[in-house]
C-alpha cells in the first residue's frame, strides 16, 4: 500500500539533500512528479507508485535508513550526552533523521560493528534474545582461557551478581585472545562473562552481528549505509516479516 509524503521530506529521506536544500530544489522547479513540475514543498507524492525526478534523474526512496558504523573507542553509544562525544557525532548530516538510534550498545571503550537505524521494529527484534541474532566479539584478555572456560560458556555462565546468561560460544584464538559469540546484550555482558572466568578484558571489538561483518576494508570511524540485500538478510536473521527490500523504489 502506498503512502503520500511531502516532497521535501521524500527528497531529504534519500540522504542526498537536507530538508532545506530539498525545499529549495522544489521551489527552483527542477522536481517533477509523474512528469509534471511541482514547485510547492508541501505538495505530496507517493514514492511507491509515482515517479519523482530531480533534473530528470529518477529518485530512489527508502523508508528507513540503516547504517553500519565501525565504532572507534571513546564514543558513547547514546543519541546525546552533555559531556562525552556520542556515536551520533560520527553520522554525516545527510543520514541524520529523527528516530535514528543505535541497535544495542557498545561500551565507550569497545570498538567494532554498530548498527544505527530509524526502523524501530527491526531494532527491537535484533536486540531480543528470542530472535537469536549472534553477536561476535574478539577480546584481548589477561591470562589464558582453557577448555573448562569453553565448557562453562557453552553451559551458560552465571555472573557474580547471580545473573544467568544464555549458553554462549568461547573460542580460544591464541594466548591472550579469544572470540565470544552471544545472543543477548546484557550490560557489559562479554566483559563480565570473561571476568567471571578469571579472564579480565583488555580490549573488546565486535566483529559481526547476524549476517553483517565489518569486512576487510572498513576503518575505525567509517560509516556506510547497508545495501538492500544486507537489509533483507538482516530482517531475515531477526525473524522480521517480509525481507523488505520492496520499500525501495528504483
Ligand atoms: N559486552 C561488553 O562487555 N561490552 C560491550 O561493549 C559489548 C558487549
Amino acid at each position: 500500500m502506498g503512502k503520500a509524503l511531502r516532497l521535501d521530506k521524500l527528497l531529504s529521506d534519500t540522504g542526498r539533500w537536507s530538508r532545506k536544500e530539498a525545499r529549495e530544489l522544489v521551489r527552483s522547479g527542477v522536481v517533477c512528479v509523474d512528469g509534471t513540475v511541482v514547485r510547492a514543498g508541501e505538495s505530496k507524492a507517493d514514492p511507491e507508485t509515482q515517479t519523482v525526478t530531480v533534473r530528470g534523474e529518477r529518485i530512489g526512496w527508502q523508508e528507513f535508513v540503516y547504517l553500519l558504523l565501525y565504532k572507534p573507542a571513546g564514543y558513547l553509544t547514546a543519541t546525546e550526552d552533555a559531556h562525552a562525544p556520542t556515536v551520533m557525532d560520527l553520522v554525516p548530516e545527510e543520514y541524520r533523521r529523527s528516530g535514528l538510534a543505535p541497535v544495542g550498545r557498545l561500551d565507550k571503550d569497545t570498538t567494532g560493528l554498530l548498527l544505527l537505524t530509524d526502523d524501530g521494529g527491526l531494532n527491537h527484534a535484533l536486540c531480543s534474545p528470542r530472535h537469536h541474532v549472534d553477536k561476535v566479539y574478539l577480546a584481548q584478555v589477561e591470562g589464558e582461557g582453557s577448555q573448562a572456560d569453553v565448557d562453562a560458556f557453552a553451559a551458560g555462565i552465571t555472573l557474580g551478581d547471580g545473573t544467568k546468561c544464555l549458553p554462549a560460544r568461547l573460542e580460544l584464538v591464541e594466548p591472550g585472545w579469544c572470540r565470544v559469540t552471544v545472543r543477548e546484550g546484557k550490560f557489559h555482558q562479554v566483559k563480565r562473562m570473561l571476568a567471571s572466568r578469571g579472564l579480565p578484558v583488555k580490549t573488546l571489538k565486535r566483529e559481526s552481528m547476524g549476517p553483517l561483518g565489518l569486512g576487510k576494508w572498513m576503518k575505525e570511524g567509517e560509516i556506510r549505509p547497508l545495501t538492500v540485500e544486507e537489509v533483507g538478510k538482516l530482517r531475515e536473521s531477526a525473524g522480521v516479516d517480509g525481507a523488505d527490500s520492496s520499500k525501495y523504489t528504483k
Side-chain angles (χ1 to χ4, degrees), residues 105-107 110 137 186-192 204:
R105 129 178 235 295
L106 293 179
D107 297 335
T110 300
Y137 296 86
K186 297 188 198 302
F187 188 59
H188 296 324
Q189 180 163 357
V190 174
K191 290 177 185 167
R192 289 160 77 207
L204 190 64

Side-chain angles (χ1 to χ4, degrees), residues 128-153:
S128 157
R130 273 197 312 128
H131 290 287
H132 302 309
V133 178
D134 284 345
K135 290 115 190 161
V136 182
Y137 296 86
L138 182 67
Q140 187 183 18
V141 294
E142 279 170 34
E144 254 181 69
S146 65
Q147 185 59 43
D149 299 320
V150 174
D151 295 344
F153 269 64

